[in-house]
Amino acid sequence: MNLAHLFLRTARRDGEAPAVGLGTRTLWTYRQLVDRAARLAGGLRSRFGCEPGERVAIVMENRPEYLEIELATWWAGAAIVPINAKLHPKELGWILGHAEPRVCFVSEKLADAVAEADPPASCRVVEAATVEYADLFEEAAPAMAEVGPDALAWLFYTSGTTGRPKGAMITHGNLRAMTYAYHIDVDEVAPRSALLHAAPLSHGSGCYVSPHAAVGSCHVVPETGGFDEAEVFELWRAWGRVHMFAAPTMVKRLVRHAKAKGLAGEGLATIVYGGAPMYLADLEEAHGVLGFRLAQLYGQGESPMCITALSRREHEAAARAGRRDILQSAGTAQIVVEVAIADEEGRRLSPGAVGEVLARGPSVVPGYWRDPEATRRTMGDGWLRTGDLGALDEQGYLTLKDRSKDLIISGGANIYPREVEEALLTHPKVKEVSVVGLPDPEWGERVVACVVAEPGTRADELDAHCLREIARFKRPRRYVFLDSLPKSAYGKILKRELRDRLAREAASEGS
Ligand code: AMP
C-alpha cells in the first residue's frame, strides 16, 4: 500500500487539521496538502516522466515545500532521494549521478551548489518557489499510484566505509512497519499535535514524517530552516503538544538554554533522541530541567528509526527505580524487529556478551541501490549487520558499547574517516594519514587527522585542500604531524592506539 494513504486517510478524517506550518503560522491543512501534492504528482508525471520506479531528488534546507514534494513523489509512485544540504558539490554530483533522478528540487540557497555538482543531463533541476515550480501544480491530479510493499519509497544515502555513499533502499513496506512500531514503542502522539523539524528533513527528522502524518500532526518548519534554541522554545510555546527529534548534542544545547533563561519546556510533549550515544549525566540533567519528556530510539538508514526504543514511560520508570543501567541502554527491540548479538563469525552470543548488533524484520531494507556486493555483505542472509557493538541483558535491553570503530559522529552527523583520509591523500605533500574521532564535550566527537607528510607541511594548507574536496563539517579540527603511524604485523594502521595516545596527551595537557 502506498505511503501516501497515511496522508489521505488523515485528510479524509480531519481535513481541517493543520498539516504544514512555517514558524508559528499554519500554511496548509491536510486537505490542502493532499490536494497540492496530488496536483504536483500530475506535474511530476507529465513534465518529467516520474512514473513508478523513477526517483526525485531534493536538495534543500528544511522548508515547507519539502513535505509536498515528498508526498507528491509517493503519490506518483516514485521514490524520494533527499540529499544532505551540507554536502560538497562533488559529493552531491556523485549521488545525483548514482541515483539518476528524473528531477532534482533545489532551494534558492542551494541552487549554486547543485549547478556546480553538474547533475546528469537526464535530471532536470527545478527551484522551489519559482514560476516554473508553481506551474507544476497546473496539471490535473492523477489517481494515487498503486505500489506494493517492496516498492522503493526513499533512497537514503549514508556515507559508506569504502568512502563512497551507499543508497539504502527504503521501501513503502519498511516505512509502514516503522510507523506501526513507532506508535507502539517510541512515542504516544495525539491527533493535531505538532512535529517540529529542527533537524534535517533529509535525515534525522525526515523519517518522523510518516508516523506523524498517520495521526494528523502538523509538520512545523522553523523560520530559520534549522536548529536555533530560542526559536525552538518559542515554537513549543506557540504550538503546544510539540514532538521533535533531536540528536544528543541538540538536547544538550536545549537544556543549557533552558537553564540560562529559567525555562522548563512549556509546550513540549516529547523529544525523541538518537543517532549518537546519549551520556547518562546529560540525560539525567535533561530530566531535571525538562521533566520526563524524553524517548530514545536506535536505528540506522538500513532499518530506519527501527531497531530498539526506550519510551518516555520507561525513562520515567527507570529513573524512579534507580535503574541507571536501563537509562544507559538503548531500550529493547521494537515490536517488528528481532535483535541478536553475534561474534565475528556470526555465532550468536549470550546475554551480557559484547558483539555486533544484528537486526531482522520488515523495517530492514532489502539492500543498497546498485551495489549487490555491499548488500550481500550487510544483509545478505536476511539479518542486518549494523556495524555497532553492543550487549543484550536478560530482559532484552540493548546497551551499545561502541560503534564500528572507524565511524565518527560529530554533532549528530556521521563522518567516515575513510572519506576524509582519501581527500587528504590526494594532497601532494601527504604520505600517510589516519583520521580518528576524539571525545569532545560539545560535539560528542571531533575529527583529528594524524598525518605523515613532507617536512614543512602546514595544517592550514591541508585545511584549504579539504575545503576543496569534502563537506565543511567533515574537515579535521586538528592535525597531528607524526613521523610514522602505528601498524599491526599485517601492516594495518592501529587506530585504537592512535586514539589512546592522543587521549593520553590531551589528559596530561589538561592536568
Ligand atoms: P544513520 O544511518 O546515519 O542513521 O546512523 C546510524 C548510526 O547512528 C547507528 O548505526 C549507531 O551507530 C548510531 N546510533 C543511532 N541511534 C543511536 C542511539 N540511540 N544510541 C547510540 N548510537 C546510535
Side-chain angles (χ1 to χ4, degrees), residues 129-466:
T130 56
V131 175
E132 188 186 10
Y133 183 73
D135 214 34
L136 295 174
F137 292 80
E138 296 305 316
E139 301 288 330
M144 188 193 298
E146 295 278 338
V147 295
D150 297 334
L152 186 64
W154 181 332
L155 202 46
F156 182 102
Y157 277 89
T158 60
S159 288
T161 41
T162 54
R164 283 294 187 202
K166 292 196 294 262
M169 299 192 290
I170 303 175
T171 65
H172 284 257
N174 293 148
L175 289 177
R176 191 163 275 278
M178 175 274 281
T179 297
Y180 301 149
Y182 189 87
H183 290 297
I184 292 173
D185 289 321
V186 181
D187 196 12
E188 289 167 29
V189 187
R192 294 202 176 204
S193 302
L195 172 66
L196 176 57
H197 293 290
L201 272 160
S202 62
H203 189 231
S205 215
C207 287
Y208 291 74
V209 168
S210 343
H212 278 267
V215 295
S217 298
C218 183
H219 300 273
V220 177
V221 177
E223 293 269 6
T224 56
F227 179 66
D228 174 274
E229 296 92 318
E231 188 184 26
V232 167
F233 277 88
E234 191 190 310
L235 292 173
W236 288 352
R237 245 193 328 271
W239 287 92
R241 285 216 305 262
V242 175
H243 301 249
M244 67 184 280
F245 162 74
T249 46
M250 291 164 72
V251 176
K252 230 176 136 161
R253 282 170 58 183
L254 290 170
V255 168
R256 200 186 300 160
H257 183 83
K259 282 169 77 177
K261 304 282 176 196
L263 301 167
E266 187 200 336
L268 168 67
T270 315
I271 295 179
V272 181
Y273 65 87
M278 168 70 99
Y279 299 108
L280 181 63
D282 294 337
L283 178 58
E284 290 181 333
E285 189 178 22
H287 279 156
V289 174
L290 300 172
F292 293 114
R293 291 192 273 195
L294 290 106
Q296 180 188 185
L297 58 76
Y298 160 55
Q300 55 178 209
E302 292 80 353
S303 184
M305 298 190 6
C306 197
I307 300 177
T308 63
L310 192 67
S311 68
R312 262 170 57 169
R313 280 175 204 277
E314 283 178 294
H315 275 80
E316 180 166 3
R320 293 198 190 284
R323 290 288 304 270
R324 298 179 109 196
D325 57 324
I326 292 182
L327 291 177
Q328 271 176 310
S329 79
T332 52
Q334 293 188 36
I335 191 156
V336 297
V337 179
E338 283 173 87
V339 174
I341 304 292
D343 67 12
E344 279 167 14
E345 275 75 48
R347 285 184 298 250
R348 300 302 186 259
L349 300 176
S350 355
V354 177
E356 185 174 13
V357 180
L358 309 183
R360 181 166 75 170
S363 59
V364 173
V365 300
Y368 295 110
W369 181 250
R370 295 179 177 163
D371 198 340
E373 178 48 32
T375 299
R376 193 191 53 71
R377 267 198 324 267
T378 315
M379 61 281 284
D381 63 354
W383 282 91
L384 167 65
R385 301 190 55 171
T386 63
D388 292 313
L389 298 177
L392 285 167
D393 72 7
E394 295 283 357
Q395 285 182 284
Y397 286 95
L398 173 72
T399 301
L400 293 167
K401 300 287 180 192
D402 204 354
R403 24 181 203 284
S404 60
K405 284 153 228 118
D406 48 6
L407 173 66
I408 300 171
I409 301 184
S410 187
N414 286 359
I415 300 170
Y416 285 85
R418 175 83 181 260
E419 268 187 287
V420 185
E421 289 163 3
E422 280 175 3
L424 277 168
L425 281 169
T426 61
H427 190 281
K429 291 188 186 169
V430 173
K431 295 181 184 156
E432 268 191 310
V433 61
S434 181
V435 168
V436 295
L438 285 190
D440 183 276
E442 180 78 10
W443 297 102
E445 283 185 299
R446 68 176 183 283
V447 180
V448 178
C450 301
V451 186
V452 181
E454 282 173 17
T457 309
R458 295 184 325 272
D460 62 345
E461 49 184 319
L462 299 185
D463 190 49
H465 182 73
C466 282

